[in-house]
Amino acid sequence: MLSAQAARVRTGKVADLYKENCASCHGDQMQGASAPSMLDDIWLNGGDDDSLARSIRNGFPDRGMPAWGALIPDKEIRAMVIYMREMRARNDSGQLTFAAPKDSVTASSALHSYQVNTWLDGVNEPWSMAFLPDGGALVTEKRGRLLRFGADRKVVGPIEGLPEIDNDSQAGLFEVLLHPRYAENGWVYLAFSDLTRNKDDQKVSITRVIRGRLKGQQFVDQQTIFAAKLEHYRKAGGVHFGGRLAFDRAGYLFFTIGDRSAMAEAQDITRPNGKVHRVHDDGRIPADNPFVGEPKAVESIWSYGHRNPQGLAFHPETGQLFDLEHGPRGGDELNLVERARNYGWPVISYGMNYDGSTLTTLTAKEGMEQPVVYWVPSLGVCGMNFYSGNEFPRWQNNLFIASLAAQELRRLEVVGGKVVYQEIIFKNLGRIRHVITGPDGALYVLLPSRIARVSAAPDKVASGHGATPPTKG
Ligand code: HEC
């Protein structure tokens, strides 16, 4: 069984290409007709991406399959292979149904039974959340509000004094994160799309990181941790801001900036977009950052070739850094992020453009890193968190990932930098922006207008939700 990514196949150029050239023999839904089905995972000539592309390119003219290489460019053959994978997943998903879990009703999964309950209501597109030592919490809303809640979950109020935030399209207020020694120093970190004007008086924005302290309703003592040069800002609004923050054990702050849809700039170390960055907790550049001293380099860059990394987390035991990237259609990725490495965007990708046209024929290249895992069809991944709490002993160090389009909370077992098992815990509660572990060991899941708490329920015989084997990659 593949995963239940029901009905997530869009139409587009590649679908037309299929209809016009292939459907007459392979069936309008790829179910098979005079030529074999492409949904059953039975491949006579190899089922990996390269073999499928070869079958399409060279055909088997003596057995009735034309050679398409002369008619269809390689790029579109690549898109066709992705489309075949999507159709297969859609076909499989018809066999699995996921009822959305109801509040206070016990549901089961492979290792634990659980309950989902509304923990906090009345929030609007929450993006990130941080628990405070007093039992309260800070919640960012994408539209630009930073909310503070007391231990009683009553809102203390929107925090005042934040800088001007672009909240058009995918821009907004992103991560809120406490300093690892918050109890001593009170620092609260924020990532957001900074709104300003360029020399031509046009509104421009890009991801910025600041810190400050809470004083009643005010955000005071503000300091800039990272700001791009004005010439690196791009037209306000638009897409791909990244905006996730994470501290490592040594106290370095890592943060992400998406490519801002300037794809090629992800490969350019003189630009801050399409990168994972690393700074000291006060924003200073660590002397051992990989591009320090290179001409015009943005010296906070740690790794490059990223599209839109909206998830960032350290493995609690190994200390390895992972990022979760919202990819193009069919190209969502989990990466093991290492110093100075190039993650390939947009030169290599497992995805195609959203309209079904091709992006690149290359999925691998010398000098570029492969993802730990990728998803075709895309899930629309966003935030993630390694579980480390007492509530769910068998989920220790498992990676929980949030997805927007697929509306799934997934559990991944990550061993030695590889994903060995994947499970959908639940889906269909709405787009999930982030998931974190609370101090009580429960998982907190950020949904469109509420925060749900996933807590342990007495175990019963597992039923219902299917497990999914690891995606290849
Ligand atoms: C005129 C009929 C016809 C058309 C049109 C056609 N195919 Fe085929 N195709 C076949 C036949 C017959 C086979 C089985 C060949 C064999 O015996 O291995 C085949 C095999 C294949 C295979 C290999 C399957 C395997 O098991 O390894 C792929 C992949 C494939 N076709 C893709 C396509 C795509 C994509 C298109 C459109 C661009 C297409 N075909 C159009 C008849 C057709």
Side-chain angles (χ1 to χ4, degrees), residues 41-103:
D41 210 29
I42 299 168
W43 301 107
L44 299 173
N45 306 283
D48 59 286
D49 285 9
D50 287 345
S51 303
L52 292 175
R54 197 180 327 109
S55 293
I56 301 168
R57 206 182 305 117
N58 303 338
F60 309 98
D62 50 332
R63 302 203 294 268
M65 164 70 179
W68 296 95
L71 298 168
I72 303 179
D74 268 1
K75 279 186 156 196
E76 291 179 13
I77 289 178
R78 171 70 200 143
M80 186 63 70
V81 172
I82 299 168
Y83 185 54
M84 287 159 58
R85 303 279 186 219
E86 289 182 338
M87 291 292 278
R88 167 90 208 281
R90 183 171 80 165
N91 184 58
D92 286 352
S93 69
Q95 294 148 25
L96 280 177
T97 49
F98 280 80
K102 290 194 177 66
D103 271 26

Side-chain angles (χ1 to χ4, degrees), residues 226-255:
F226 172 85
K229 290 183 188 153
L230 187 59
E231 67 256 37
H232 292 158
Y233 279 60
R234 300 185 63 85
K235 193 168 173 294
V239 297
H240 308 169
F241 288 85
R244 198 62 75 183
L245 307 171
F247 279 101
D248 74 359
R249 289 174 189 155
Y252 290 105
L253 177 67
F254 290 73
F255 61 93

Side-chain angles (χ1 to χ4, degrees), residues 313-378:
F314 286 93
H315 190 288
E317 268 179 355
T318 66
Q320 289 169 313
L321 177 63
F322 291 84
D323 92 320
L324 190 60
E325 286 186 37
H326 195 121
R329 174 172 165 185
D332 283 0
E333 299 184 350
L334 177 73
N335 286 302
L336 174 57
V337 176
E338 293 184 297
R339 183 180 185 279
R341 300 277 173 93
N342 180 355
Y343 290 83
W345 176 256
V347 181
I348 59 173
S349 173
Y350 286 91
M352 60 181 157
N353 290 313
Y354 284 103
D355 67 1
S357 63
T358 4
L359 186 70
T360 170
T361 50
L362 299 181
T363 55
K365 196 174 175 186
E366 185 75 37
M368 296 183 179
E369 303 305 312
Q370 282 294 300
V372 173
V373 69
Y374 63 91
W375 290 274
V376 181
S378 293

Side-chain angles (χ1 to χ4, degrees), residues 262-278:
M263 298 194 294
E265 292 181 7
Q267 290 292 318
D268 180 352
I269 59 156
T270 71
R271 303 268 180 171
N273 41 334
K275 311 294 180 329
V276 173
H277 297 255
R278 174 197 192 233

Side-chain angles (χ1 to χ4, degrees), residues 42-329:
I42 299 168
W43 301 107
L44 299 173
N45 306 283
D48 59 286
D49 285 9
D50 287 345
S51 303
L52 292 175
R54 197 180 327 109
S55 293
I56 301 168
R57 206 182 305 117
N58 303 338
F60 309 98
D62 50 332
R63 302 203 294 268
M65 164 70 179
W68 296 95
L71 298 168
I72 303 179
D74 268 1
K75 279 186 156 196
E76 291 179 13
I77 289 178
R78 171 70 200 143
M80 186 63 70
V81 172
I82 299 168
Y83 185 54
M84 287 159 58
R85 303 279 186 219
E86 289 182 338
M87 291 292 278
R88 167 90 208 281
R90 183 171 80 165
N91 184 58
D92 286 352
S93 69
Q95 294 148 25
L96 280 177
T97 49
F98 280 80
K102 290 194 177 66
D103 271 26
S104 307
V105 174
T106 296
S108 53
S109 72
L111 299 179
H112 282 291
S113 293
Y114 64 90
Q115 278 191 7
V116 180
N117 287 292
T118 298
W119 184 76
L120 192 69
D121 235 334
V123 283
N124 179 19
E125 286 188 85
W127 209 95
S128 170
M129 169 176 181
F131 281 96
L132 293 164
D134 68 3
L138 294 169
V139 174
T140 55
E141 291 181 336
K142 192 228 161 250
R143 290 282 145 207
R145 290 201 306 172
L146 174 62
L147 300 175
R148 180 176 184 170
F149 294 87
D152 56 3
R153 284 181 254 166
K154 292 226 169 67
V155 66
V156 179
I159 301 298
E160 288 158 16
L162 299 190
E164 206 179 348
I165 296 172
D166 176 15
N167 63 19
D168 202 16
S169 187
Q170 291 180 9
L173 176 57
F174 308 126
E175 185 90 303
V176 54
L177 187 68
L178 305 187
H179 191 286
R181 295 192 314 277
Y182 173 83
E184 293 159 39
N185 60 33
W187 287 122
V188 176
Y189 290 73
L190 293 176
F192 62 98
S193 44
D194 181 45
L195 185 64
T196 185
R197 284 177 183 274
N198 66 12
K199 293 182 194 94
D200 304 322
D201 205 34
Q202 291 158 325
K203 283 186 175 176
V204 289
S205 69
I206 199 165
T207 312
R208 185 183 183 103
V209 181
I210 61 172
R211 69 177 179 182
R213 293 190 172 97
L214 298 169
K215 190 176 174 200
Q217 304 274 102
Q218 297 292 320
F219 195 56
V220 299
D221 302 337
Q222 286 179 36
Q223 296 177 353
T224 296
I225 300 300
F226 172 85
K229 290 183 188 153
L230 187 59
E231 67 256 37
H232 292 158
Y233 279 60
R234 300 185 63 85
K235 193 168 173 294
V239 297
H240 308 169
F241 288 85
R244 198 62 75 183
L245 307 171
F247 279 101
D248 74 359
R249 289 174 189 155
Y252 290 105
L253 177 67
F254 290 73
F255 61 93
T256 63
I257 303 184
D259 72 0
R260 292 294 275 106
S261 81
M263 298 194 294
E265 292 181 7
Q267 290 292 318
D268 180 352
I269 59 156
T270 71
R271 303 268 180 171
N273 41 334
K275 311 294 180 329
V276 173
H277 297 255
R278 174 197 192 233
V279 292
H280 287 290
D281 66 347
D282 59 1
R284 280 175 303 119
I285 306 290
D288 61 348
N289 265 13
F291 303 110
V292 167
E294 290 207 16
K296 292 197 190 152
V298 176
E299 295 188 330
S300 53
I301 294 174
W302 181 251
S303 63
Y304 62 110
H306 300 284
R307 183 178 185 268
N308 192 19
Q310 293 189 305
L312 192 65
F314 286 93
H315 190 288
E317 268 179 355
T318 66
Q320 289 169 313
L321 177 63
F322 291 84
D323 92 320
L324 190 60
E325 286 186 37
H326 195 121
R329 174 172 165 185

